[in-house]
Amino acid sequence: LTLTACEDDRIHNICSQNPALCADLVDDGWCRYERSDVIRARYYLQTEETDRRKYELMRGLERYLHCAEHSTNIEYKRAREQKSPRVEGMLAAGSQQEQLDAQTRGSRDPYLLLWHWTNNTNPQARASFMALEGTPALEEPELQLALGGIYAKHEPQKAIALMHHALSLYREGEQVNGRILTSLSTLYMGQKQYGQAYLWGKVSESFQNAAEVSATRFSLYHSLSKQEQESLDSQAATLVEQLKSGTYRP
């Protein structure tokens, strides 16, 4: 069986045993991966009702809504004017997301604090997230990336240190978020540290299909000699191996 077939079987089993988790999301071939993610997240929340599970479902619903809006060319806000199974699925997903958003506004989970800050512009959520800096609660790459983003404009050197720390938290086999690498490259570019900007741009190319930051661009616009480029390319290859094996340390 292929991985996709196994996944389809898993979702089919969940839906057979828990039809209420699936019935409101039309299975018409559109947004099937996003639909599966929502069903899986609903199932996990049903078995373990924690704030983190609620956040995972909220993110899944967000991706499903984005896909459904794209496939129907109808914004969720205007969907009530239309009637079709796909639109009904949008309305159900949007309604559940609104309920979860309301339920979690007092949560101290760092991912939910981020959600309410970025989605609801809630200054208290931002302050609560910032108060967790330096504690074990934020010792995850995604949370360090978010923290670095807060400091990027006014304290770029601190943001750079946070991005490096984020990379050191990955363990072997974990998928590295390419945004950390492109953010590092952009931050170094802003500091006119063109060698480092080139280096991390080069590293980023190994972790995403279409790198947002082209290492070549740095060599074109900023005079790195061929010898410097070759040295940086060699360093980049070493860093890539360290990140993949979970051994990178700043």
Side-chain angles (χ1 to χ4, degrees):
L1 280 175
T2 65
L3 194 60
T4 305
C6 290
E7 188 56 39
D8 285 345
D9 283 347
R10 254 186 234 117
I11 295 300
H12 178 73
N13 288 339
I14 291 174
C15 291
S16 295
Q17 294 165 23
N18 307 269
L21 300 181
C22 314
D24 57 357
L25 304 177
V26 62
D27 185 13
D28 62 358
W30 288 87
C31 305
R32 61 184 304 217
Y33 295 112
E34 291 81 3
R35 178 181 182 271
S36 294
D37 285 347
V38 168
I39 290 167
R40 198 181 303 105
R42 284 175 170 179
Y43 176 74
Y44 289 146
L45 178 58
Q46 181 176 276
T47 56
E48 183 189 17
E49 195 164 341
T50 62
D51 280 355
R52 185 60 56 87
R53 291 298 191 195
K54 288 177 183 175
Y55 168 77
E56 288 165 0
L57 177 52
M58 288 161 76
R59 284 297 309 275
L61 289 163
E62 182 180 50
R63 287 190 290 267
Y64 177 82
L65 279 168
H66 181 74
C67 177
E69 286 180 350
H70 183 72
S71 69
T72 57
N73 292 317
I74 300 169
E75 287 184 32
Y76 168 65
K77 292 174 187 172
R78 296 189 177 89
R80 287 173 176 79
E81 302 160 14
Q82 310 287 328
K83 288 293 174 188
S84 77
R86 204 179 299 168
V87 168
E88 292 296 331
M90 278 178 70
L91 292 172
S95 175
Q96 185 175 28
Q97 189 185 54
E98 288 168 5
Q99 289 169 16
L100 289 166
D101 185 282
Q103 282 176 22
T104 57
R105 289 196 178 184
S107 172
R108 311 302 292 173
D109 182 274
Y111 283 98
L112 283 166
L113 290 172
L114 266 181
W115 171 278
H116 289 295
W117 163 38
T118 56
N119 287 273
N120 301 321
T121 324
N122 183 329
Q124 184 56 51
R126 183 185 189 276
S128 296
F129 180 80
M130 295 291 288
L132 294 173
E133 183 180 350
T135 71
L138 296 194
E139 287 294 286
E140 295 183 35
E142 299 293 323
L143 298 173
Q144 291 293 306
L145 170 62
L147 194 59
I150 296 171
Y151 286 108
K153 187 174 181 181
H154 300 294
E155 295 184 59
Q157 290 297 338
K158 181 167 186 174
I160 287 169
L162 287 164
M163 298 299 175
H164 281 293
H165 182 58
L167 293 174
S168 75
L169 296 174
Y170 283 109
R171 296 297 170 254
E172 186 174 6
E174 292 180 345
Q175 188 173 348
V176 174
N177 185 340
R179 282 179 55 220
I180 300 173
L181 302 166
T182 53
S183 295
L184 254 182
S185 187
T186 301
L187 284 161
Y188 277 124
M189 191 76 166
Q191 297 301 293
K192 296 183 168 53
Q193 292 179 254
Y194 301 127
Q196 288 297 305
Y198 175 89
L199 174 65
W200 289 100
K202 194 74 180 174
V203 172
S204 77
E205 292 174 358
S206 294
F207 290 94
Q208 47 206 24
N209 294 328
E212 296 168 33
V213 179
S214 166
T216 310
R217 180 162 62 90
F218 296 129
S219 65
L220 287 173
Y221 290 104
H222 303 287
S223 52
L224 293 172
S225 70
K226 188 175 181 185
Q227 189 175 5
E228 286 174 315
Q229 280 187 55
E230 287 174 354
S231 172
L232 290 166
D233 288 348
S234 175
Q235 290 177 49
T238 301
L239 288 167
V240 168
E241 287 309 308
Q242 289 175 349
L243 289 167
K244 286 181 176 176
S245 63
T247 59
Y248 172 74
R249 299 295 178 268

